[in-house]
């Protein structure tokens, strides 16, 4: 029995045999044949507090909190019992114990259901399924390794190789605005009928400028405002004004 | 090969219950009625010849299991896999999920009055419960329900086969009547 009465009438309880404060409280009530709808709250509170004495040391602070919370609830109900009863909307007296009783009965219901499950489990356990699943072999302690420093180093390097994090793919906002390059092409072609792509790009060190300039050229081509011409692969790329009258005289690369 | 032999071979080789529908897939000429008839024939044969095993209905299917009378001999053997028993806490959480599914962790902890995260994880790892959805509301908490594996573990044929809540000695009148109200509306 998890609860026994000592000489002074105090309860000595093995707390870890209970599934929390509701289980303990229910045990105290049922053990003494107390009517759950008329719990002598002062007596039960005292017994509960005695049962959980030193709970922080016995169960650790995490599980203790749940018991202490219930203790606080009991003390609050005990105090409310001394005050004049309040009434609800329909004029009936509110019993301060009502919510606790509801929780205890709900918990007891599921504790009973768990008991039925345990019985079903025990019955099922009498039937064995066919088939043997071999137990996992216990890892045997290995002998001391015999190897050279070079082998160890090589192994460590191989681990490093495998463990290297995947290369990061960084996406940064485009530092070179497309509009800027479009404006550059248009401005240049206002003065010259054609311009070589390389001349627009050469002043800038970053390759991104070449990329964005090409994108600008393609965009303007799409809008039919310029034409891109290249005689053969890797030959110089020329950008031509579309609506102007191209003539050799006003070429940009003189 | 006879139908009953095919069914017997399948039930013998399977490590989980097989439904009549599953078993009927073994051959084009088979249907569920033929499977059921073959199972009845096999059962009668096992009884008549006094086999130590029988075909049982578990989790919506059929499974060959030893008869309970054999248990005292089997449990002594290390080479016979012994059924695992669940802890009291695990059974309590399972009972709550069984009758209130789908249910979230907060509700379970409210009923038990204690933290239940560890038990939930264990039950999920063992395949007895699973996440069946998410609740509306803040954080959209996970909702749990019982699984096929749950029925197998307890030897229930289906969820209709579990103990009815009204049969339990302590009936939550309030909850039962509330359920009836919602069912009526």
């Amino acid at each position: 029995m998890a609860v026994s009465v000592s000489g002074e009438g105090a309860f000595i309880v093995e707390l870890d045999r209970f599934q929390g404060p509701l289980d303990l409280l229910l045990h105290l009530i049922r053990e003494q044949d107390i009517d759950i709808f008329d719990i002598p709250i002062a007596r039960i509170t005292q017994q509960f507090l005695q049962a959980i004495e030193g709970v922080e040391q016995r169960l650790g602070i995490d599980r203790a909190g749940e018991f202490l919370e219930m203790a606080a609830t009991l003390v609050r109900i005990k105090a409310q019992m001394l005050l004049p009863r309040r009434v609800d909307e329909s004029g009936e007296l509110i019993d301060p114990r009502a919510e606790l009783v509801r929780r205890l009965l709900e918990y007891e219901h599921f504790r009973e259901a768990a008991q039925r499950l345990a019985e079903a489990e025990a019955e099922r356990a009498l039937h064995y399924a066919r088939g043997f699943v071999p137990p996992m072999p216990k890892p045997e302690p290995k002998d001391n390794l015999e190897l050279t420093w070079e082998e160890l180093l090589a192994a460590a390097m191989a681990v490093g190789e495998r463990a290297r994090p995947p290369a990061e793919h960084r996406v940064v906002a485009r530092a070179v605005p497309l509009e800027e390059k479009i404006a550059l092409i248009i401005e240049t072609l206002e003065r010259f009928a054609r311009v070589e792509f390389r001349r627009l790009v050469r002043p800038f060190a970053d390759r991104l400028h070449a990329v964005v300039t090409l994108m600008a050229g393609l965009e303007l081509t799409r809008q039919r405002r310029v034409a891109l011409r290249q005689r053969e692969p890797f030959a110089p790329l020329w950008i031509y004004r579309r609506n102007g009258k191209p003539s050799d005289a006003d070429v940009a690369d003189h | 090969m006879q139908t009953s032999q095919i069914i017997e071979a399948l039930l013998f080789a399977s490590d989980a219950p097989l439904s009549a529908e599953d078993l009927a897939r073994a051959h084009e000429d088979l249907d569920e009625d033929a499977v059921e008839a073959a199972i009845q024939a096999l059962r009668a044969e096992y009884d008549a010849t006094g086999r130590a095993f029988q075909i049982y209905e578990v989790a919506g299917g059929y499974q060959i299991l030893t008869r309970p009378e054999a248990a005292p001999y089997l449990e002594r053997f290390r080479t016979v896999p012994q059924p695992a028993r669940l802890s009291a806490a695990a059974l309590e959480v399972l009972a709550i999920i069984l009758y209130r599914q789908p249910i979230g962790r907060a509700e379970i902890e409210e009923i038990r009055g204690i933290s239940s995260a560890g038990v939930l994880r264990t039950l999920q790892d063992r395949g007895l419960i699973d996440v069946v959805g998410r609740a509306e509301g803040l954080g959209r908490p996970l909702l749990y329900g019982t699984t096929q594996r749950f029925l197998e573990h307890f030897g229930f044929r289906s969820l209709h086969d579990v103990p009815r809540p009204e049969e339990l000695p302590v009936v939550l009148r309030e909850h039962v009547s509330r359920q009836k109200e919602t069912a009526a509306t």
Side-chain angles (χ1 to χ4, degrees), chain A:
Chain A
M1 192 41 55
V3 177
S4 61
V5 182
S6 75
E8 295 86 39
F11 285 90
I12 299 159
V13 175
E14 294 170 44
L15 276 186
D16 52 4
R17 292 184 53 170
F18 291 96
Q19 304 291 326
L22 283 171
D23 200 14
L24 170 61
L25 196 55
L26 205 51
H27 186 90
L28 292 172
I29 291 165
R30 294 300 186 204
E31 186 76 354
Q32 300 173 86
D33 276 330
I34 290 171
D35 177 6
I36 196 153
F37 295 103
D38 190 19
I39 301 170
I41 213 79
R43 186 169 117 210
I44 283 291
T45 302
Q46 193 200 356
Q47 288 171 350
F48 187 87
L49 290 173
Q50 277 172 1
I52 67 163
E53 208 178 293
V55 66
E56 301 93 326
Q57 287 79 46
R58 288 153 74 189
L59 292 181
I61 200 73
D62 279 354
R63 287 186 60 195
E66 293 157 348
F67 284 93
L68 294 173
E69 195 186 326
M70 176 58 77
T73 302
L74 287 171
V75 169
R76 197 193 65 232
I77 295 172
K78 189 178 144 187
Q80 285 171 343
M81 295 292 283
L82 301 172
L83 299 170
R85 295 282 176 92
R86 289 181 295 145
V87 289
D88 63 14
E89 307 93 50
S90 52
E92 288 201 33
L93 289 171
I94 296 172
D95 188 333
R97 299 169 295 186
E99 170 60 14
L100 180 67
V101 170
R102 188 199 66 78
R103 286 189 67 191
L104 282 168
L105 285 175
E106 181 180 56
Y107 177 72
E108 190 170 37
H109 174 78
F110 286 112
R111 204 177 65 172
E112 190 67 41
Q115 186 53 42
R116 296 298 179 91
L117 286 183
E119 287 163 18
E121 183 184 51
E123 207 171 296
R124 171 63 183 81
L126 295 175
H127 297 280
Y128 286 70
R130 204 199 59 78
F132 172 57
V133 182
M136 292 275 274
K138 285 206 182 110
E140 305 252 327
K142 289 268 161 48
D143 290 339
N144 288 332
L145 290 173
E146 281 183 32
L147 79 178
T148 64
W149 270 112
E150 285 76 13
E151 286 168 335
L152 182 62
L153 185 62
M157 296 298 281
V159 170
E161 193 68 31
R162 262 176 284 144
R164 182 181 295 166
E168 276 184 59
H169 178 73
R170 283 175 188 275
V171 179
V172 290
R174 196 165 54 207
V176 183
L178 186 64
E179 297 75 8
E180 192 184 299
K181 292 303 178 191
I182 288 177
L184 176 69
I185 294 173
I186 288 172
E187 278 169 29
T188 309
L189 290 183
E190 273 169 8
R191 288 188 287 142
F192 309 105
R194 65 171 194 171
V195 60
E196 200 198 338
F197 179 75
R198 207 169 47 198
R199 281 184 57 90
L200 294 174
V201 171
R202 201 180 293 149
F204 307 101
D206 195 329
R207 200 191 292 172
L208 190 58
H209 285 270
V211 174
V212 179
T213 306
L214 181 64
M215 283 165 63
L218 291 171
E219 173 61 22
L220 289 170
T221 308
R222 197 181 62 79
Q223 295 174 11
R224 301 180 172 278
R225 293 165 72 181
V226 305
L228 295 177
R229 291 211 186 114
Q230 191 178 31
R231 209 178 309 125
E232 58 184 271
F234 304 109
L237 176 66
W238 289 88
I239 305 177
Y240 285 84
R241 187 161 64 200
R242 271 293 284 259
N243 45 7
K245 285 155 267 162
S247 75
D248 284 348
D250 49 6
V251 167
D253 59 343
H254 52 71

Side-chain angles (χ1 to χ4, degrees), chain A residues 110-111 113-114 117, chain B residues 90-100 150:
Chain A
F110 286 112
R111 204 177 65 172
L117 286 183
Chain B
L91 288 169
E92 214 174 273
V93 172
L94 263 183
I96 294 170
I97 294 174
L98 173 62
Y99 293 110
R100 291 278 172 90
F150 163 83

